Amino acid sequence: SQQGEEDPQALSIQEGENATMNCSYKTSINNLQWYRQNSGRGLVHLILIRSNEREKHSGRLRVTLDTSKKSSSLLITASRAADTASYFCATAPISGNTPLVFGKGTRLSVIA
Amino acid sequence: KAGVTQTPRYLIKTRGQQVTLSCSPISGHRSVSWYQQTPGQGLQFLFEYFSETQRNKGNFPGRFSGRQFSNSRSEMNVSTLELGDSALYLCASSFEPQRGYTFGSGTRLTVV
């Protein structure tokens, strides 16, 4: 069953704008990860944020984590057409040696 | 270094048949996880193998099975195929799942 739920389900923006996606989850976690999937392909790991971290940056990506609200957000700044993809959050449950649990994803379309 | 290799990329099978999918993980990764991805259900965890042992199992019927070999390569098998088994099957390799996965490109299975 899904633990993470992304919001919105779909997002369409112009090139150069910022894109923000949100993820909510239900149980305690060790970390939260974001992945990107281009159409029909495998997922690519973007960034991992630990439960004791509040914000993390990687290039044009900024991730925040609020464990009190059980939510995370992914911000992509200055979006490009190449950022068009589906974005998934995945939670690592606090009990070790358990698989990641993925949300259903946000479909981002960046229009040139 | 080589990525995660899944074969075949595409398969078309008839209801009632069985199918075997293969996954070669990144060298040094002992954990291999399998996910089923469908538009309606998102990514659903099938099972994880670690050092040739099934360490975790998702909520799928016994028609879905897998194994891992001593070289960490993994196979999954689906017997008595149903139309609802049509999906993208993704293999994810990791040193430890909670640190993040490297995904293969997936096998697109169509059951007719």
Side-chain angles (χ1 to χ4, degrees), chain A residues 1-2 30-31 33 35 37 40-43 45 48 88 92-93 95-100 102 104, chain B residues 9 35 37 40-45 48 55-56 88 90 96-101 103-105 108:
Chain A
S1 62
Q2 254 67 33
N30 271 332
N31 66 64
Q33 304 172 28
Y35 289 78
Q37 183 180 36
R41 308 290 293 184
L43 284 73
H45 185 265
L48 180 155
F88 295 85
S95 51
N97 293 334
T98 49
L100 300 184
F102 287 82
K104 291 193 176 183
Chain B
R9 284 282 286 127
Y35 286 82
Q37 186 178 27
Q41 296 298 317
L43 281 110
Q44 300 283 323
F45 172 73
E48 181 214 355
R55 187 161 70 171
N56 288 289
L88 180 65
L90 293 163
E96 176 51 54
Q98 296 225 341
R99 296 189 190 182
Y101 292 145
F103 280 86
S105 294
R108 172 74 63 184

Side-chain angles (χ1 to χ4, degrees), chain A residues 31-107:
Chain A
N31 66 64
L32 186 144
Q33 304 172 28
W34 285 90
Y35 289 78
R36 183 188 74 227
Q37 183 180 36
N38 291 90
S39 181
R41 308 290 293 184
L43 284 73
V44 175
H45 185 265
L46 295 175
I47 195 165
L48 180 155
I49 185 165
R50 294 183 174 80
S51 60
N52 61 354
E53 297 176 312
R54 292 297 165 257
E55 187 171 311
K56 202 160 183 180
H57 296 255
S58 176
R60 294 184 297 112
L61 305 181
R62 172 179 167 250
V63 170
T64 62
L65 179 64
D66 186 335
T67 52
S68 67
K69 294 182 180 177
K70 290 186 168 58
S71 68
S72 173
S73 68
L74 170 67
L75 168 68
I76 303 174
T77 60
S79 296
R80 307 165 181 168
D83 295 327
T84 295
S86 292
Y87 292 81
F88 295 85
C89 68
T91 50
I94 203 158
S95 51
N97 293 334
T98 49
L100 300 184
V101 181
F102 287 82
K104 291 193 176 183
T106 292
R107 175 71 189 164

